[in-house]
Amino acid sequence: MSALTESSIWKSLEQHFAEIKNERMTEMFKTDRDRAPKYTIEACGIRLDYSKNRISEKTMPLLFELATHCGINTKRKAMFSGNKLNITEKRSVLHTALRNVSGSPIKVDGIDVMPGIQAELKKMRDFSKKVRNGKWRGFSGRRIRYVVNIGIGGSDLGPQMVNEALAYYSDGPQTFFVSNVDGTHLAETLKKVELSTTLFIIASKTFTTQETMTNAYSAKSALLAKFNGKQDAVRKHFVAVSSAIDKVMEFGIDPKNTFEFWDWVGGRYSLWSVIGLPIVLSLGYKKFYDLLTGAHEMDMHFLNTPLEKNIPVILALLGVWYNNFFGAASHAVLPYDQYLHRLAPYLQQADMESNGKSVDIDGKPVDYQTGPIIWGQPGTNGQHAFYQLLHQGTKLIPADFIMPANSLNETGDHHLKLIANFIAQTEALMVGKNADSVEEELKQLRKKLMNKKLLTPKHLEYLIPHKIFQGNRPTNSITFKKMTPKILGSLIAMYEHKIFSQGVIWNINSFDQMGVELGKQLAKTVLEEIEGTERSERHDGSTSALVEYFKQNRL
Ligand code: G6Q
């Protein structure tokens, strides 16, 4: 047994779960008129209403005790101070320094990292200004109209999500993101741009990632073909975001046009760094700075607020409550905001790559569940698709409903309808519909029917169980007034700290990604075999047959 599941607080939570597991939230609302305000908090312009959760007066105090027991207070301080929390890779975890707009010193190995961060920010600001005002020109002297970011994983999902979320505020070149090694991704993107007015950003911390480098070299070939092989064109149309300057130079990119970041910035936490260059090019530096400011405010909230009023900590603990006690395997992210349509894919990486671990920080196998499966789609689309399972399926799926009170595109009554759907869904998931109400509804329907044979008493009886909604399904309502760069910064940082807090409770390293590394290695070996002529006997029967199938069926 692990120290976590052996601890007395864990046992108290198990016992409490046994007491509460069948209690209904609707009853809790009836007996406590203050339940909604009691479980609503606001910080950084974000309002969290977590009253529609299966928690009683006893639950949250026990969960806060669990967080304290697991060392959340020391660990959150340690992260902000630059301690090497990423033990396997012996690295600090300092995405919070990247948005430390206060500028106060933060030291890694005795050296303040802030001057370096500020220098890179300035470099990004100056560069983006030149591109946006037309001083930076392409090889044929034309102004840059398109930006194509070539990167994958952490070097793609964050800036892409932000550019989509803040598209309303964009007044710069049109940005595209190419990540997949599938040649279709690059080919279809190149159809949408004009090479002589395109700037390519090769975003790769290591500058060795197979997908990114394959796309980068193909983009370079396309550009050289356009400019009759003139190598100088590369310097005008390619910049790099990387920690590997030697490899960048080898590619042909001017080191002056290389934006640097450090090993203490994890890929999935890097949008705040120079990986955010496509954001700055699209929105301008001022709005990027607002994004950083919003994140910094949430950082300060997370670092300094007592657990009882701390939004990321509360979200983390509710997640632990369902994941480890109710046995919920997944968590849905449901933004009622079309601009946030890339939030779920972004959080899939942030959360699942961070907390998809099965050994603790000491390398011992865990005997409890760690990170959940994260998934979701914007509402209302999901309502016409997978919400059926949320309402009537056999699985308990806690969900975050996220919504701004105002739309950036107020058109007719669209937004009021969106709000109505948001509210109605969270209510329906909690309240459900019992047999009596279903029966009454069907009887009323029958009364109105001209042809009573369409709903015979026998069929009415038969329909009842199919129309029952058990309800008691938990949701968080996360709302804010309007989507702005600052709010988005706070929202993303909120999730980052939620993920961190859960990692602390599960005693895992949320900052390495050995599972991703394995994929990178394996693909190289198989590629050699597919390219070769020899039959490979190194694999199991299925894998070898797949290799042979592809070799024989390539046209
Ligand atoms: C993120 C991961 C991973 C990484 C990509 C791209 O935390 O480390 O998603 O960002 O594999 O790596 P490069 O930036 O080195 O190309």
Side-chain angles (χ1 to χ4, degrees), residues 152-155 204-206 209 266-268 349 353 513 516 520:
I152 196 165
S155 301
S204 175
K205 190 165 152 182
T206 52
T209 305
R268 57 194 172 277
Q349 182 193 27
E353 207 169 85
Q513 56 284 315
V516 179
K520 289 187 179 183

Side-chain angles (χ1 to χ4, degrees), residues 19 126 175 193 196 288 398 411 474 510:
E19 290 157 15
D126 295 346
T175 50
V193 302
S196 59
F288 182 69
T411 319
S510 300

Side-chain angles (χ1 to χ4, degrees), residues 105-122:
I106 297 173
K107 291 189 176 163
V108 172
D109 297 326
I111 297 165
D112 183 10
V113 296
M114 288 315 298
I117 292 172
Q118 282 151 353
E120 284 308 297
L121 280 176
K122 182 175 179 308

Side-chain angles (χ1 to χ4, degrees), residues 438-451:
V438 174
E439 189 173 357
E440 186 50 35
E441 234 175 53
L442 289 172
K443 282 185 176 156
Q444 292 302 329
L445 176 69
R446 188 161 192 274
K447 265 192 206 157
K448 286 186 204 147
L449 290 176
M450 302 288 274
N451 179 359

Side-chain angles (χ1 to χ4, degrees), residues 177-289:
F177 290 82
V178 173
S179 52
N180 200 338
V181 75
D182 182 342
T184 298
H185 204 174
L186 180 66
E188 287 297 331
T189 306
L190 292 184
K191 283 184 199 165
K192 295 178 192 136
V193 302
E194 161 59 46
L195 282 170
S196 59
T197 58
T198 299
L199 179 74
F200 291 93
I201 304 173
I202 311 303
S204 175
K205 190 165 152 182
T206 52
F207 231 70
T208 54
T209 305
Q210 187 192 55
E211 294 88 336
T212 302
M213 295 326 295
T214 307
N215 280 320
Y217 278 102
S218 298
K220 183 176 160 181
S221 301
L223 187 92
L224 287 173
K226 166 92 190 164
F227 290 117
N228 303 320
K230 296 204 176 101
Q231 293 291 331
D232 285 354
V234 176
R235 292 180 164 235
K236 287 281 168 200
H237 290 270
F238 281 79
V239 296
V241 173
S242 184
S243 319
I245 299 288
D246 48 336
K247 296 197 178 73
V248 170
M249 285 167 68
E250 214 175 282
F251 183 89
I253 293 175
D254 189 340
K256 286 211 290 289
N257 301 326
T258 301
F259 300 84
E260 201 192 339
F261 64 131
W262 306 271
D263 69 358
W264 42 260
V265 187
R268 57 194 172 277
Y269 297 94
S270 65
L271 72 89
W272 321 100
S273 71
V274 288
I275 284 288
L277 184 59
I279 307 173
V280 189
L281 286 164
S282 169
L283 304 178
Y285 183 77
K286 159 90 182 57
K287 293 188 195 104
F288 182 69
Y289 194 80

